[in-house]
Amino acid sequence: MSTEDTRTQYERMVAGDWYEADAQIHELTSAAQARAERFAQAVKDGADDAVDRLRELLGSLGDDTWIRPPLYVDYGVHLHVGARTFANFGLVALDVAPIHIGDDVQIGPNVQLLTPIHPVDPEPRRNKLEAAKPITIGNNVWLGGGAIVCPGVTIGDNTVVGAGAVVTKDLPANVVAVGNPARVIKEI
């Protein structure tokens, strides 16, 4: 019996395992970019179907949620956004792994949600291996402008992340965190 992994690179990626970007992955990311551009154009044109274009781009979108373009995604379909959430200009949501954003979340401009990881060892990195870890943002979270959320991070309900913070580890619910790396400065 062969022990060789017969999964596609995309199947490996979705499983959270190391993979190499191939033609199928490039095709999927190009299609996502085209959907993101259709969404941005619909907003620019004041089209009635802008929300439909956003729903077409994402894995799921809650009611009364809005994301101001430009919105940058890898796939879009791995990005799930709850109800009554608002994201300002320039959200980067690299959804190689799932990104779940709760209800009533406020996201400042130029926030980055980064799921991809790369090997620390030089040889596998040279071979273009990559993987990803999911990000979860709880309900009623506020991510200040320019905040960066790193792979594998969960942010608890009601937490505030200060502008420019780099969140490298999980944050509990009901706190304010600032800095690089982000650290809790008070409970709320």
Side-chain angles (χ1 to χ4, degrees):
M1 182 167 131
S2 173
T3 59
E4 186 174 318
D5 191 340
T6 60
R7 297 175 297 167
T8 68
Q9 295 300 320
Y10 182 77
E11 289 168 336
R12 293 177 193 195
M13 182 194 85
V14 169
D17 297 332
W18 293 108
Y19 72 95
E20 296 176 54
D22 63 4
Q24 177 192 19
I25 287 173
H26 290 298
E27 183 177 307
L28 292 169
T29 58
S30 293
Q33 183 177 2
R35 291 192 315 274
E37 290 170 1
R38 282 194 299 274
F39 163 60
Q41 190 63 49
V43 172
K44 181 179 176 185
D45 294 343
D48 293 337
D49 67 347
V51 171
D52 294 334
R53 298 291 71 78
L54 183 56
R55 284 189 195 287
E56 175 186 279
L57 174 60
L58 303 182
S60 62
L61 182 69
D63 292 336
D64 301 317
T65 289
W66 187 244
I67 300 173
R68 296 176 87 175
L71 167 61
Y72 304 101
V73 297
D74 275 321
Y75 301 92
V77 297
H78 304 144
L79 176 56
H80 304 276
V81 186
R84 300 170 307 280
T85 289
F86 173 76
N88 216 321
F89 298 110
L91 174 61
V92 174
L94 300 186
D95 62 327
V96 175
I99 298 173
H100 291 274
I101 300 171
D103 298 335
D104 303 300
V105 174
Q106 298 293 312
I107 300 175
N110 300 312
V111 165
Q112 298 178 51
L113 307 175
L114 309 175
T115 68
I117 59 173
H118 301 278
V120 173
D121 292 332
E123 191 60 32
R125 193 173 59 249
R126 185 176 297 110
N127 292 333
K128 308 301 184 223
L129 289 179
E130 54 190 293
K133 294 181 180 178
I135 291 174
T136 302
I137 309 295
N139 296 319
N140 200 34
V141 168
W142 175 19
L143 301 176
I148 298 171
V149 180
C150 292
V153 166
T154 294
I155 298 176
D157 293 347
N158 305 313
T159 287
V160 175
V161 176
V166 179
V167 185
T168 60
K169 295 182 181 177
D170 292 353
L171 293 174
N174 303 305
V175 298
V176 175
V178 300
N180 181 3
R183 68 189 193 299
V184 174
I185 59 167
K186 76 177 195 177
E187 292 184 15
I188 49 177

